[in-house]
Amino acid sequence: MIMGKIIIAGIGPGSQEDITPAVLEAVRQADAIVGYKYYFQFIEPYIKEHCECIDTGMKKERERAEQAFDLAEQDKTVVVISSGDAGIYGMAPLIYEMRKQRGTDIEICSLPGISAFQKAASLLGAPIGHDMCIISLSDLMTPWETIERRIKAAATADFVTAVYNPKSHERYWQLYRLQELFLQEHSGDTPVGYVRQAGREEQEVKVTTLAQFNPEDIDMFTVILIGNSQSYISDGKIITPRGYYGNPERGDRSQEKPGQLIMIQSFRTIAGELRKDYPLDHQWALLHAIHTTADFEMEDILYTDPGAVETLYNKIKDGTLRTIITDVTMVTSGIRKGALQRLGIEAKCYLSDPRVAELASSYGITRTQAGIRLAVEEHPDALFTFGNAPTALMELCDLIRKGKARPAGIIAAPVGFVHVKESKHMVKPFKDIPKIIVEGRKGGSNLAATLCNAVLTFDDAALLKPGRDL
């Protein structure tokens, strides 16, 4: 039996200029054209006389496919039109599946078209300069649980992400959830661009950031592109570097050193094994603590005042915090020198100061207590960090109560068996001082130092990219 054929044609995003010559030729030669009625306006000038045009409404994809097969079985050349590229959320998969289901040998060919995300990308600049993925928020065919899992994977893997079917009258909340999930993995200044009615007279193009993005501006005719951690905005355009020049807006962070790559992988592993979600600044400190100790009990014993890590980082950035005081030299040694130099911060331990031994002898106190007394005289508003001596922490508490010390913050991680727990309890009543505390007997110089490093690098927390200063 002689049979016709089905040509699945992607007609592009919505303008005649974006329809490929191959598709136009197929339209000209078609005996019948089947498609969503809205799309016929874009190909009408190219349809030959007496061509049978069958247009249907939205959500009639299966009916259109069945009509195409019925016509092809009448020895007709049938063109099934689909917006963008027919293989991307279009008619192509359905046509091929239906041929198998019907058990027919009708010839099928698919002609590619310019997809909406490609058109949008060209209008937004160069946002797809690196690995990318496409996610549809339509849950008509895919359970939301699956969609959300894919969103999390895309955000975690740092893909440039195109979002199709972002919103409809019924689906009003899913885009808010996508934004929430991306903000858990990406900085708020990650570029976001969206194009409404790409290629059509009503076209609107907007560039913003992940934090400023407003889902209320979006409708079902909009395509969204979310940049990756390297993307930046320049002259109103989004650029995602391929890697030739680095990133002039954020600094070249595309060539991480081997040590940093290992640390990033370790942090991502730890984050994936945490029992629950935490506020970003607490999680950043927690990841550092677990990475240093390989001890997931830190989830139970690491205490941070709400916003303590971010508050201390902001004090460094605005210049009100310039000095870190440590109880022992091992803590000072563990604080990253690159971060200190980058931020203009001095880390200082007084144990080697010649005045310490004399002061300790005169007052019958420990050398670490004496070191803290001297430090308070010269730097009363420093960030005080303890990784060894509970007596030094107790000394600071006493000096605070006497009005002699007004620390910018306290990191309390002394270790041992005598007065260790008590010294940490003594810190908590100071409500106005940001505190990070390793509760119980555990602690140590390495923990104190890594918690300092968490503060110094808090600007890397949103991207989960530790180790910049290794």
Side-chain angles (χ1 to χ4, degrees):
M1 181 174 64
I2 299 175
M3 288 191 179
K5 63 189 253 184
I6 297 175
I7 301 172
I8 313 164
I11 64 170
S15 67
Q16 293 179 1
E17 294 80 6
D18 291 326
I19 304 176
T20 68
V23 168
L24 290 177
E25 183 60 25
V27 169
R28 291 188 186 102
Q29 300 300 321
D31 298 316
I33 300 174
V34 179
Y36 172 41
K37 60 185 178 181
Y38 180 81
Y39 299 146
F40 276 87
Q41 61 183 305
F42 305 118
I43 61 169
E44 187 174 0
Y46 309 100
I47 300 174
K48 72 181 182 181
E49 190 177 0
H50 305 305
C51 176
E52 186 175 359
C53 295
I54 300 172
D55 56 357
T56 60
M58 290 185 66
K59 301 182 182 179
K60 300 291 185 180
E61 292 86 355
R62 184 181 291 273
E63 290 88 338
R64 290 200 288 275
E66 289 172 345
Q67 288 171 319
F69 277 98
D70 291 342
L71 291 165
E73 288 167 354
Q74 300 171 29
D75 193 24
K76 294 182 178 181
T77 297
V78 184
V79 172
V80 178
I81 58 173
S82 190
S83 68
D85 183 284
I88 302 176
Y89 305 122
M91 290 293 293
L94 175 57
I95 295 289
Y96 278 103
E97 284 187 291
M98 188 169 287
R99 181 175 68 170
K100 179 181 178 181
Q101 189 270 335
R102 290 170 71 113
T104 180
D105 294 326
I106 286 177
E107 179 186 353
I108 296 174
C109 73
S110 181
L111 300 178
I114 296 174
S115 182
F117 83 86
Q118 293 172 300
K119 180 67 174 181
S122 70
L123 296 166
L124 292 166
I128 311 177
H130 220 292
D131 298 336
M132 63 90 61
C133 68
I134 309 170
I135 295 176
S136 170
L137 297 193
S138 174
D139 56 1
L140 289 175
M141 301 289 183
T142 307
W144 174 253
E145 292 78 9
T146 300
I147 296 171
E148 179 162 319
R149 191 163 62 247
R150 291 170 180 171
I151 293 169
K152 291 178 179 178
T156 301
D158 200 25
F159 282 113
V160 175
T161 303
V163 182
Y164 275 45
N165 305 310
K167 204 173 181 184
S168 69
H169 180 69
E170 294 82 9
R171 288 184 290 101
Y172 66 92
W173 59 268
Q174 285 88 342
L175 189 54
Y176 285 95
R177 178 59 175 158
L178 178 142
Q179 182 183 28
E180 178 185 358
L181 292 170
F182 263 82
L183 281 170
Q184 291 175 8
E185 301 290 343
H186 288 256
S187 167
D189 63 358
T190 299
V192 173
Y194 55 90
V195 180
R196 184 180 181 276
Q197 296 280 28
R200 301 170 188 172
E201 290 183 2
E202 310 93 328
Q203 175 179 287
E204 298 175 18
V205 182
K206 180 70 179 291
V207 173
T208 183
T209 64
L210 190 57
Q212 295 298 317
F213 174 70
N214 183 5
E216 292 301 315
D217 294 336
I218 305 302
D219 64 16
M220 65 184 295
F221 299 105
T222 307
V223 174
I224 304 164
L225 282 166
I226 304 171
N228 68 13
S229 61
Q230 304 300 311
S231 303
Y232 62 94
I233 299 171
S234 180
D235 296 326
K237 299 293 186 180
I238 300 175
I239 302 170
T240 299
R242 186 71 182 90
Y244 298 108
Y245 297 104
N247 186 328
E249 300 294 323
R250 295 189 178 190
D252 183 3
R253 298 168 73 178
S254 61
Q255 302 297 326
E256 290 94 350
K257 298 177 182 178
Q260 184 183 11
L261 290 172
I262 294 171
M263 193 171 182
I264 290 171
Q265 184 177 358
S266 297
F267 269 51
R268 293 191 183 280
T269 299
I270 296 166
E273 295 184 18
L274 295 177
R275 294 197 301 266
K276 61 180 182 178
D277 294 331
Y278 297 95
L280 181 61
D281 74 331
H282 178 83
Q283 177 173 293
W284 190 239
L286 179 60
L287 292 173
H288 277 78
I290 296 174
H291 179 257
T292 296
T293 62
D295 185 356
F296 276 84
E297 190 188 355
M298 291 295 152
E299 280 198 84
D300 300 318
I301 65 175
L302 180 67
Y303 167 86
T304 64
D305 282 336
V309 176
E310 184 173 9
T311 298
L312 290 170
Y313 176 76
N314 288 336
K315 287 185 177 184
I316 291 171
K317 294 297 289 184
D318 65 24
T320 57
L321 171 51
R322 310 307 306 164
T323 307
I324 299 173
I325 298 296
T326 69
D327 60 337
V328 291
T329 55
M330 286 292 291
V331 177
T332 311
S333 298
I335 300 173
R336 294 209 191 98
K337 304 303 181 287
L340 295 172
Q341 293 170 4
R342 175 168 52 82
L343 297 168
I345 303 297
E346 178 186 21
K348 191 171 184 180
C349 177
Y350 276 77
L351 274 185
S352 59
D353 190 302
R355 296 172 293 174
V356 165
E358 181 180 349
L359 187 63
S361 177
S362 298
Y363 287 90
I365 56 178
T366 66
R367 291 175 66 246
T368 53
Q369 281 180 276
I372 293 301
R373 285 192 188 181
L374 288 176
V376 165
E377 290 177 8
E378 298 179 3
H379 302 285
D381 55 355
L383 168 60
F384 284 80
T385 303
F386 301 86
N388 181 270
T391 55
L393 179 56
M394 295 165 73
E395 181 71 23
L396 178 66
C397 292
D398 185 53
L399 293 170
I400 293 171
R401 297 183 68 245
K402 291 177 179 177
K404 295 182 178 181
R406 48 184 186 279
I410 300 172
I411 295 176
V415 61
F417 297 93
V418 180
H419 302 311
V420 172
K421 293 181 180 179
E422 295 90 332
S423 69
K424 296 170 182 178
H425 294 318
M426 292 170 67
V427 174
K428 283 194 174 180
F430 302 120
K431 300 296 185 183
D432 296 332
I433 301 174
K435 299 173 290 296
I436 303 172
I437 304 171
V438 179
E439 298 188 299
R441 292 173 172 171
K442 290 187 176 181
S445 300
N446 57 344
L447 260 176
T450 201
L451 293 171
C452 272
N453 292 330
V455 171
L456 296 172
T457 61
F458 180 67
D459 56 331
D460 293 323
L463 298 180
L464 199 61
K465 280 199 168 183
R468 187 192 338 178
D469 303 294
L470 288 175

